[in-house]
Amino acid sequence: MNTIVVGQLQRQFQDYIVSLYQQGYLDNQFTELRKLQDEGSPDFVAEVVSLFFDDCAKVINDMSTSLERPDHVDFKQVDSGVHQLKGSSSSVGARRVKNVCIAFKECCDVQNREGCLRCLQQVDYEYKMLKTKLQDLFNLEQQILQAGGTIPQVSMN
Amino acid sequence: MEKGGFSPVGLRVLVVDDDPTWLKILEKMLKKCSYEVTTCGLAREALRLLRERKDGYDIVISDVNMPDMDGFKLLEHVGLELDLPVIMMSVDGETSRVMKGVQHGACDYLLKPIRMKELKIIWQHVLRKKLQEVRDIEGCGYEGGTDWITRYDEAHFLGGGEDVSFCKKRKDFDFEKKLLLQDESDPSSSSSKKARVVWSFELHQKFVNAVNQIGCDHKAGPKKILDLMNVPWLTRENVASHLQKYRLYLSRLEKEKELKCYSGGVKSIDSSPKDAEVNSGHQSPGKSSFVFSGGIFQKATETDPKPLASASLSDPNTDVIMPPKTKKTRIGFDPPISSPAFDSLLPWNDVPEVLESKPVLYENSFLQQQPLPSQSSYVANSAPAIMEEEMKPPYETPVGGSSVNIDEFLMPQDKIPTVTIQDLDPSALSSMKLQEFSSNVTNNTEAILRSWELPESNHSASLDTDLDLSWLQGERFLANTGLQFQDYSSSPSFLSELPPHLWYGNERLPDPDEYSFMVDQGLFIS
C-alpha cells in the first residue's frame, strides 16, 4: 500500500465532501447516513442514494405529465409528488433538492403552472447534479479502498 | 439485587412507509437499535401483516402520507383492532398534522429526518401501554389496586433482578400478571387459567341492552352494566375492557360521520349508533332489533336490508336502506370495531335513508360482491381485538384456552360461511375500483380536509380526552363530553328520541357529505 497515495486520495476525498456540504448539496442527514454504513452493509450509502435518484426520476416524470397540458393540470398530483420528493430528499440529505421542493410547493399551492414548470426544471437539474457529484465521491472512495486505505469519517460542524 | 434492568432488545417493530429510501434507512437504523424489524411499503400490506400475526409486533411506525391509505386511518385501525402503540412520522411538522396524529391515537409523532436517538427510545411506548392497560383494568374496580398493581408491574416488569427483555420475559411476566390480577378480582377462582371472554353476538347484545337501560344516567359504568347483564361468569374487568373498546368504536364512528356530514349536504336524521339503538328500541325494546349486523354486509347491492340468518330484524323497513353503492370509492372501509354486534349499532343502518346519493356504509362497497361471508370474516379477523383482552398480552400467551378464532367468536347459530378478509379482498375488490378510489381520494381529499379541518380537530380532541378521562375514572360512562361537534345540522326532533347518554354530549349529527368524504377517504383493508 502506497501510504502517500492513500493519504493524497483521502485528503482529496475530504476536501471534496466538505465542499459539497459547503455548497449546500448535502446536509447533516448525509453524515448520518454515512454513520449507518458498516461492515455489514459496506455499500449502504450508495444503495440508498441510488434508490433516491430512481425515485426522483419517476416522480419528476409523473409531475411532468401532470403539468403538461395548460388547461388541465393536476395540481393535486403535483403537490403529492413534491411532498414525496421533499420526503425522500430529506432522507439522504439532498439539501438543494429539498429547497427547490419548498419553492415548488408554494407554486403548487397557488396553482401557478408556470412557476411549477420552472421548479420542476430546477429540481430535475439539482438531482442530476447531485447524482454526478456523488458519483465522483464514490469513485474517490473506491480509489482509496483499492489503494488499501480507509475512507475518512468527515464530521461537519 | 440490582436488576439487569429493562432491555428493549428484540423489540418487534413494523415500519410502514411508501418511500423506499426512508424504508431502507429506517430499517437500518432500527436494526442498529437491536430491534427486530419488518418493513412494509403499503398501509394495506401492513394491516394484513398485523392481522396475520396478531401478537407478532410490539410497535408500529408509520408515515402519515401513503398512497393507499391515510396514515391516520391505519393508525386508528391498529389502535382499535390490535391496540398496539403507533408512532407517526412525517416530513411535515405542521401543528394541525401533529394534532391530528395525537387525536387519532398516535403515541408519538416524529419529524423526518429521524435521528437514531429518537428511535432508540421508542420502546418506552410499548412499556407505557402495558402498564396503562394494567392500571386501567384495575383502576375501575379496585381502589387500592392501582398503586399495588403498578408497583408490582414496575418492579417486576422492569426487572427485579432479571433482565426483562422483550423477547424473553414477557410471556412469563404476563402470565404471572394475569394470575395476580385474576386472584385479586376473583379470589374464589382456583384455576390459574383465565378463560378468554368471547364477546359473542348475544353477549354484546346484552351488553348494549344494559348500556341502554342505564340510559340517561350518564353513569353506565362497568359494574352497573355487569349487574344488568346478569351473566354469571362475566367479570367487571371483562365489561370494562369491552366498554372501552365500544366507546372508542362509537367515537370513531361519530367522527367519521361528522366528516361525511361536514362535507356534504344532506341532513341526516340519525347517524349515531345510539340512534340505531334507540330506533331499534322503539321497535322492540331490548330485543333483537340490535341484531342486524348481518344486514349491513348484505346490503352491498341491495337497496332493502333483508334480515339475515344471524339477525332477526324487528322492523326491517325502518332499518336503513342502503343505497346501492354510488361511488366506487369506498372500497373497503373497515368499521373500527369488527364485531358483528357492534355493527348492529351502526348508524349506517339508518343513515342511508337520508344519504341517498352517497355511498354510506363502508361495508357496503367493501363487501360488495360478497355479502354475507364477509361479516364473519371481518369479525373473525378482529375478533381477538374485541375479546376480553386485558389479561392478554399482545403476544401469544394463551392462558386458559385456545387463541381466539372465528369459531369461538361467533356462536354456532351465528356462524356464517367463513371467508377471511384476506380471501375476500381479491375477489371483492377489483383493481378498477381501487384506481377510481385513489383518484377520488386525491381529488377530493385536500379540499374536504381544508374545509372541515378545524371543527374536526376541535371535537375530536375533546372526544378523545373525555373518553380517556371517563375511562380512567372508571365509573362514568361518557363523562361530560362537552364535545363540540359543531355543525349541528340534524333534525332536533330525532335527537330528542335519543337517550341523552348516547349523545356523548354532542348534538351533532353528521351530514351525508361527511359520509362521502369518508367514503372517499376510504380504506383498503385487505
Side-chain angles (χ1 to χ4, degrees):
Chain A
M1 166 170 111
N2 186 337
T3 33
I4 298 176
V5 169
V6 167
Q8 276 176 344
L9 287 172
Q10 284 172 334
R11 258 190 311 280
Q12 220 179 324
F13 174 85
Q14 203 143 348
D15 291 342
Y16 192 61
I17 198 173
V18 167
S19 77
L20 289 182
Y21 280 101
Q22 285 175 341
Q23 290 168 52
Y25 285 102
L26 297 171
D27 64 27
N28 194 37
Q29 177 63 15
F30 190 74
T31 318
E32 296 294 318
L33 263 194
R34 296 192 70 227
K35 284 185 194 166
L36 288 175
Q37 186 161 294
D38 54 23
E39 296 90 40
S41 50
D43 298 313
F44 181 69
V45 180
E47 287 166 5
V48 173
V49 299
S50 173
L51 279 174
F52 168 63
F53 293 134
D54 287 346
D55 208 36
C56 277
K58 181 182 174 300
V59 173
I60 288 171
N61 190 43
D62 291 344
M63 289 197 286
S64 169
T65 309
S66 297
L67 285 166
E68 215 162 26
R69 290 171 47 194
D71 56 324
H72 191 61
V73 178
D74 186 354
F75 281 107
K76 292 277 175 287
Q77 194 281 332
V78 178
D79 185 74
S80 149
V82 174
H83 186 92
Q84 245 180 289
L85 273 186
K86 191 172 177 214
S88 55
S89 63
S90 74
S91 78
V92 299
R95 187 159 161 269
R96 283 201 182 182
V97 176
K98 191 177 77 171
N99 287 341
V100 177
C101 287
I102 295 171
F104 203 154
K105 174 151 174 63
E106 283 170 20
C107 290
C108 230
D109 288 347
V110 299
Q111 306 210 336
N112 174 359
R113 179 174 173 266
E114 287 301 317
C116 283
L117 284 170
R118 278 195 298 273
C119 288
L120 183 71
Q121 212 171 4
Q122 210 178 340
V123 87
D124 188 62
Y125 171 81
E126 287 298 342
Y127 104 82
K128 284 174 175 162
M129 187 63 137
L130 180 64
K131 191 172 180 182
T132 320
K133 300 273 182 193
L134 287 181
Q135 199 56 58
D136 291 344
L137 191 72
F138 293 142
N139 285 342
L140 266 177
E141 278 187 352
Q142 284 307 306
Q143 288 178 48
I144 294 173
L145 291 174
Q146 278 164 14
T150 53
I151 301 162
Q153 269 294 346
V154 182
S155 73
M156 302 290 305
N157 287 346
Chain B
M1 71 158 73
E2 276 31 64
K3 56 285 345 300
F6 179 78
S7 165
V9 170
L11 188 70
R12 298 161 308 167
V13 185
L14 177 66
V15 188
V16 192
D17 198 329
D18 67 316
D19 184 335
T21 336
W22 267 116
L23 209 55
K24 190 176 172 82
I25 295 174
L26 286 168
E27 183 186 31
K28 183 80 183 158
M29 288 171 80
L30 289 165
K31 280 188 173 157
K32 282 215 159 186
C33 296
S34 306
Y35 297 150
E36 213 182 274
V37 189
T38 310
T39 60
C40 200
L42 284 175
R44 202 176 357 151
E45 177 67 16
L47 271 175
R48 189 183 68 79
L49 285 172
L50 287 165
R51 285 174 182 153
E52 246 175 38
R53 289 175 59 208
K54 291 225 186 255
D55 293 339
Y57 304 94
D58 295 310
I59 188 167
V60 178
I61 305 182
S62 169
D63 190 86
V64 161
N65 289 85
M66 277 184 295
D68 63 332
M69 186 196 301
D70 184 13
F72 298 116
K73 278 276 168 299
L74 173 64
L75 166 57
E76 276 188 31
H77 276 273
V78 175
L80 273 169
E81 284 181 40
L82 303 138
D83 204 25
L84 285 176
V86 182
I87 295 177
M88 303 302 290
M89 313 180 278
S90 179
V91 68
D92 176 6
E94 237 177 88
T95 308
S96 59
R97 300 293 276 175
V98 178
M99 181 159 60
K100 200 172 176 195
V102 173
Q103 287 164 0
H104 282 71
C107 58
D108 208 350
Y109 194 109
L110 302 178
L111 282 187
K112 289 175 168 176
I114 298 177
R115 293 279 169 263
M116 276 294 288
K117 58 184 181 183
E118 293 174 285
L119 293 179
K120 277 189 179 148
I121 53 171
I122 59 172
W123 54 265
Q124 62 176 290
H125 302 294
V126 181
L127 176 57
R128 189 176 297 120
K129 206 170 185 92
K130 286 204 199 316
L131 294 178
Q132 259 167 12
E133 268 169 33
V134 176
R135 284 194 205 111
D136 283 347
I137 293 156
E138 282 306 303
C140 67
Y142 185 74
E143 274 37 272
T146 311
D147 290 349
W148 173 83
I149 200 66
T150 304
R151 273 186 263 116
Y152 173 83
D153 250 335
E154 285 166 0
H156 189 101
F157 194 57
L158 294 175
E162 300 175 272
D163 229 350
V164 184
S165 76
F166 282 101
C167 48
K168 281 182 289 186
K169 295 292 181 185
R170 59 178 188 258
K171 286 188 181 182
D172 303 333
F173 164 71
D174 276 295
F175 185 87
E176 280 192 53
K177 183 172 76 175
K178 282 188 188 187
L179 279 182
L180 277 158
L181 289 173
Q182 189 195 330
D183 288 345
E184 269 309 315
S185 59
D186 183 9
S188 65
S189 155
S190 54
S191 159
S192 64
K193 296 189 175 206
K194 183 165 177 151
R196 211 164 273 210
V197 171
V198 178
W199 279 93
S200 71
F201 200 58
E202 276 98 3
L203 191 59
H204 179 70
Q205 218 179 302
K206 284 189 180 165
F207 170 79
V208 171
N209 289 351
V211 163
N212 292 341
Q213 254 182 279
I214 295 173
C216 335
D217 186 281
H218 284 276
K219 289 215 171 232
K223 178 150 179 36
K224 275 196 184 151
I225 298 172
L226 179 67
D227 293 341
L228 279 173
M229 281 176 75
N230 194 26
V231 176
W233 52 268
L234 200 64
T235 71
R236 183 182 14 199
E237 283 76 25
N238 301 147
V239 175
S241 167
H242 193 68
L243 178 62
Q244 180 183 31
K245 293 195 156 67
Y246 180 54
R247 284 179 191 161
L248 276 173
Y249 165 71
L250 291 179
S251 76
R252 302 291 178 225
L253 284 182
E254 278 303 315
K255 274 187 237 165
E256 283 148 20
K257 271 172 274 152
E258 283 179 27
L259 294 180
K260 285 194 145 201
C261 285
Y262 195 97
S263 58
V266 185
K267 313 302 187 202
S268 96
I269 299 174
D270 79 275
S271 37
S272 58
K274 321 102 178 207
D275 294 344
E277 289 167 29
V278 174
N279 203 22
S280 317
H282 285 304
Q283 262 95 80
S284 56
K287 247 265 186 154
S288 48
S289 42
F290 296 101
V291 182
F292 53 82
S293 54
I296 295 173
F297 295 94
Q298 184 99 40
K299 288 163 188 167
T301 45
E302 300 163 5
T303 24
D304 284 334
K306 291 179 184 148
L308 295 180
S310 66
S312 51
L313 231 33
S314 54
D315 188 350
N317 293 330
T318 55
D319 286 331
V320 193
I321 314 289
M322 301 309 233
K325 128 187 113 55
T326 56
K327 287 187 195 171
K328 293 177 190 159
T329 54
R330 170 130 326 258
I331 302 246
F333 176 80
D334 281 339
I337 307 263
S338 40
S339 134
F342 280 151
D343 294 331
S344 69
L345 304 168
L346 291 181
W348 299 323
N349 301 314
D350 298 294
V351 167
E353 276 172 352
V354 189
L355 309 178
E356 270 158 19
S357 58
K358 317 263 182 182
V360 180
L361 275 214
Y362 315 129
E363 286 78 14
N364 227 355
S365 26
F366 177 60
L367 300 167
Q368 234 155 16
Q369 298 167 21
Q370 300 231 8
L372 260 187
S374 53
Q375 175 189 357
S376 59
S377 61
Y378 189 78
V379 167
N381 279 323
S382 340
I386 309 300
M387 308 294 291
E388 161 59 346
E389 283 203 28
E390 65 254 89
M391 304 304 186
K392 181 177 96 76
Y395 12 81
E396 283 110 14
T397 305
V399 177
S402 50
S403 45
V404 177
N405 58 40
I406 187 179
D407 294 318
E408 274 181 40
F409 190 79
L410 291 178
M411 292 293 110
Q413 59 269 28
D414 292 336
K415 272 198 192 152
I416 305 171
T418 56
V419 173
T420 62
I421 291 275
Q422 285 82 347
D423 296 336
L424 184 61
D425 190 46
S427 52
L429 310 174
S430 70
S431 54
M432 278 186 306
K433 292 187 182 125
L434 283 175
Q435 277 160 15
E436 276 179 281
F437 173 81
S438 39
S439 63
N440 271 328
V441 171
T442 4
N443 290 336
N444 299 331
T445 307
E446 286 296 295
I448 296 171
L449 263 179
R450 286 189 188 127
S451 66
W452 56 260
E453 198 137 58
L454 272 185
E456 189 235 9
S457 46
N458 284 348
H459 63 246
S460 299
S462 23
L463 173 61
D464 286 348
T465 310
D466 287 330
L467 281 178
D468 285 342
L469 284 177
S470 57
W471 171 246
L472 288 173
Q473 278 151 31
E475 289 302 311
R476 298 160 63 202
F477 181 65
L478 280 169
N480 145 52
T481 47
L483 292 176
Q484 18 296 356
F485 287 91
Q486 276 129 8
D487 286 86
Y488 190 136
S489 53
S490 50
S491 346
S493 59
F494 196 91
L495 261 191
S496 60
E497 296 174 292
L498 298 178
H501 83 280
L502 291 177
W503 295 2
Y504 282 82
N506 109 65
E507 280 72 25
R508 189 181 183 301
L509 293 178
D511 284 329
D513 288 292
E514 278 199 1
Y515 279 87
S516 72
F517 168 71
M518 288 316 300
V519 168
D520 289 341
Q521 284 281 280
L523 276 178
F524 289 105
I525 311 297
S526 54

